[in-house]
Amino acid sequence: MPFLPSSVEAIVLKLVQGEEGVAWANRRNGWNPETNQPVCAWEGITCDEDGSIIALDVAGSDLRAKIPPEYGQLKSLRSLNLAECDLYGPIPPEVVSLPNLESFDVSANAVDGTIPSSFAPSGSMRNIVLRDNRLKGPLPDPLPTELAVLDVSKNHITGTIPWSYEQLHSIAFFDVSHNELVGSLPYHIGDLQNLQGFFVNNNRLMGTIPYSFSRDDSNLVQLFLEYNDLSGTIPAGLADIPPLKDLFVDGNKFTGTVPRSLCKLTLNEDFFKDKFNVSGRDGCTSISCPVNTVSEEGVYPCHQCPRQGFSPYLGHNKKCYYLDERMILDVFWKRTDGPNWIGGDGWNVLNAEKCMFQGITCNNAGKVINIALPNMNLRGTIPEELGYLSQLQHLNLSNNELTGFLPSDLRFAPLESLDLSGNRIEGFVPPMLCLTGDINGNGENGDFACDVISCSAGTWSPIGRATHKTSRFIEEEDRYECQPCPGSA
């Protein structure tokens, strides 16, 4: 008579799937039911004194399987480690909502779908490790309040970092790097007392570094912010963090200089340990190369931009900008699918005078002061180079098919009006652009508002932006506010 596994054994065996799974089980102690061993004696299984399964660990094996939803019946399970296997398919909500589950690790697999939102906020979960998979969608919100480790790096996570994460008072290791996150960093995220590692690098985050990180009682050891679209300046208060060992800010849009108080050779020391020819580095270039220089990795060694080239940003990687207006317009034409514009006389014509391009107006000195290209089927993204048109006052790209994000570089141009309505721009207006006076009357009477420049994603107005609330030059019937889009949450 064939051996019939108990109900618990039957649940555990749901991990054995298909012929590959059977072959996998045959190579492991106990996983073949014919051996008639109690489940607590199986390889990778740990039980408590009552015989209840509290841990299952088959990490690093060649297991090809989906995570069984039936594992949600293992009510005593505290730890599930299926890292570095060959898992695929979604994460079952029934599993991550187990009441006693403290650690869930499925890193380095091919798990897909979205991250379940069923993590119990008051549960016992301490470690969530989903690194290096194919997960998409938003970060779960809320998360368990006692969470110590969150690693969802190297996925395809979108959306923003929830502001509720400011309440994760037990978090020590926070890694959402190498995803597609947008928005800004929660302002009080640096107040988390137990935070030691904070990794948000390689996303599309905007805004400034929260000053909450600048605390002399912080336990932060590693702060990785590189390869985003963060702007503003690097806070000198970061030097007040006693245990700070690694600080990477390159590949952003920071201006100014690296604060002298941060220029310590001990910062980022491990990064340079195995590098050749680093005898000339100093503490400042260990953090970021200065403006008007370029570097392979944004840090030492730094090289001056070539003649006529410049870079207004710290730690810029591989690229200097050029102030030649014809070159900038050529970049704009290429990035916005110029060959398929409706119109565009003069553009991309060899030796054509830029001031004769359709939609371009120049001043008496031959400098571009106005770009007006509405309703011309522009597609693609707005190039950051437009911000380096030193006398550009008016920019109208309305009613096209532009996508991507509004570049903060536009703050360098002396813009007085900006119209991007009727496009598909994502995200929000960069904070440093919001603080730029004169655009659409922004800053009048000392009142700065991002909505005056453009309505952010998820909001709208008939003119694509708000009007200045306190301007005495706008009649009451001509005032607009950005309202939530119908049907939006």
Side-chain angles (χ1 to χ4, degrees):
M1 181 175 178
F3 171 75
L4 297 176
S6 70
S7 59
V8 174
E9 290 167 333
I11 291 172
V12 174
L13 286 172
K14 291 291 183 180
L15 195 61
V16 178
Q17 300 163 18
E19 294 182 1
E20 292 181 35
V22 172
W24 175 88
N26 287 335
R27 296 192 298 270
R28 273 156 186 83
N29 183 37
W31 284 81
N32 184 341
E34 300 296 334
T35 62
N36 200 20
Q37 293 187 40
V39 69
C40 293
W42 293 9
E43 182 178 343
I45 301 289
T46 303
C47 296
D48 61 15
E49 59 273 12
D50 297 323
S52 299
I53 296 176
I54 59 173
L56 192 158
D57 185 348
V58 292
S61 66
D62 56 352
L63 172 66
R64 174 73 173 169
K66 292 182 178 181
I67 305 170
E70 292 84 355
Y71 277 20
Q73 301 175 43
L74 300 174
K75 301 300 182 182
S76 298
L77 192 65
R78 300 176 193 170
S79 176
L80 180 60
N81 188 354
L82 304 174
E84 299 182 26
C85 291
D86 192 13
L87 299 183
Y88 63 100
I91 298 173
E94 305 94 322
V95 177
V96 297
S97 61
L98 282 167
N100 295 303
L101 194 61
E102 299 175 0
S103 181
F104 180 75
D105 188 346
V106 294
S107 57
N109 282 290
V111 175
D112 56 22
T114 59
I115 303 175
S117 58
S118 54
F119 291 100
S122 59
S124 55
M125 186 75 77
R126 297 280 295 167
N127 303 306
I128 300 174
V129 186
L130 313 176
R131 170 182 49 82
D132 198 8
N133 277 288
R134 300 174 183 174
L135 295 163
K136 58 186 180 180
L139 290 167
D141 183 24
L143 282 172
T145 54
E146 296 302 312
L147 193 67
V149 173
L150 176 67
D151 186 353
V152 297
S153 61
K154 297 183 179 179
N155 280 283
H156 305 285
I157 307 300
T158 55
T160 61
I161 299 175
W163 290 83
S164 65
Y165 287 13
E166 294 179 336
Q167 306 304 315
L168 297 175
H169 297 297
S170 297
I171 198 79
F173 184 92
F174 182 90
D175 193 345
V176 296
S177 64
H178 295 273
N179 279 292
E180 300 166 27
L181 293 168
V182 298
S184 58
L185 295 172
Y187 186 76
H188 293 289
I189 197 80
D191 288 331
L192 297 174
Q193 186 66 41
N194 292 304
L195 190 61
Q196 298 177 37
F198 187 78
F199 308 88
V200 296
N201 50 289
N202 296 84
N203 279 286
R204 296 186 290 177
L205 297 169
M206 302 168 70
T208 58
I209 299 177
Y211 280 94
S212 58
F213 281 111
S214 304
R215 296 170 40 245
D216 59 9
D217 61 344
S218 173
N219 290 304
L220 197 63
V221 178
Q222 296 176 296
L223 180 59
F224 284 51
L225 307 174
E226 71 268 29
Y227 296 106
N228 281 289
D229 284 315
L230 298 172
S231 54
T233 58
I234 301 173
L238 295 178
D240 295 334
I241 304 175
L244 189 64
K245 183 178 180 181
D246 295 313
L247 172 64
F248 292 100
V249 298
D250 51 288
N252 282 287
K253 295 186 175 180
F254 295 120
T255 53
T257 60
V258 176
R260 294 298 304 178
S261 55
L262 273 172
C263 297
K264 308 169 185 176
L265 284 172
T266 52
L267 267 180
N268 301 339
E269 187 175 20
D270 288 344
F271 176 80
F272 292 98
K273 189 169 292 183
D274 298 322
K275 303 279 184 180
F276 295 102
N277 193 25
V278 294
S279 57
R281 79 176 177 96
D282 57 46
C284 293
T285 56
S286 299
I287 297 171
S288 177
C289 287
V291 299
N292 292 323
T293 65
V294 67
S295 167
E296 187 71 20
E297 297 179 279
V299 294
Y300 181 88
C302 311
H303 307 285
Q304 287 294 320
C305 286
R307 186 179 179 184
Q308 296 184 328
F310 87 111
S311 173
Y313 301 122
L314 296 171
H316 219 51
N317 304 79
K318 302 181 182 179
K319 178 181 178 182
C320 290
Y321 299 101
Y322 293 88
L323 295 176
D324 181 272
E325 293 194 337
R326 174 60 191 259
M327 292 176 64
I328 292 173
L329 294 178
D330 285 346
V331 169
F332 175 76
W333 184 82
K334 292 174 183 176
R335 298 266 184 89
T336 56
D337 195 22
N340 293 306
W341 286 6
I342 299 174
D345 294 345
W347 290 79
N348 201 42
V349 175
L350 187 65
N351 298 324
E353 170 54 47
K354 67 177 186 294
C355 297
M356 301 302 294
F357 292 0
Q358 180 181 344
I360 298 295
T361 303
C362 296
N363 60 16
N364 292 335
K367 295 289 187 179
V368 176
I369 59 172
N370 183 14
I371 299 177
L373 301 170
N375 299 290
M376 287 182 57
N377 197 41
L378 276 63
R379 295 175 179 269
T381 59
I382 301 172
E384 54 197 12
E385 285 85 351
L386 282 186
Y388 309 127
L389 293 171
S390 62
Q391 298 191 33
L392 182 64
Q393 299 173 21
H394 307 282
L395 179 60
N396 181 358
L397 305 177
S398 60
N399 299 312
N400 284 291
E401 297 292 331
L402 296 171
T403 54
F405 299 90
L406 185 59
S408 64
D409 314 70
L410 292 178
R411 72 186 188 269
F412 296 120
L415 283 172
E416 297 177 8
S417 67
L418 175 64
D419 190 350
L420 301 174
S421 59
N423 285 284
R424 292 182 288 143
I425 306 296
E426 302 174 58
F428 58 93
V429 179
M432 299 308 295
L433 188 58
C434 300
L435 297 175
T436 301
D438 299 331
I439 301 179
N440 301 335
N442 196 27
E444 187 176 332
N445 302 322
D447 185 13
F448 293 86
C450 294
D451 285 354
V452 173
I453 296 175
S454 179
C455 291
S456 60
T459 65
W460 78 286
S461 86
I463 60 173
R465 61 178 180 83
T467 51
H468 202 285
K469 293 181 180 179
T470 61
S471 176
R472 63 183 185 277
F473 300 110
I474 301 175
E475 299 295 333
E476 191 62 36
E477 61 270 18
D478 295 325
R479 295 184 185 274
Y480 297 97
E481 293 184 357
C482 295
Q483 303 286 343
C485 293
S488 63

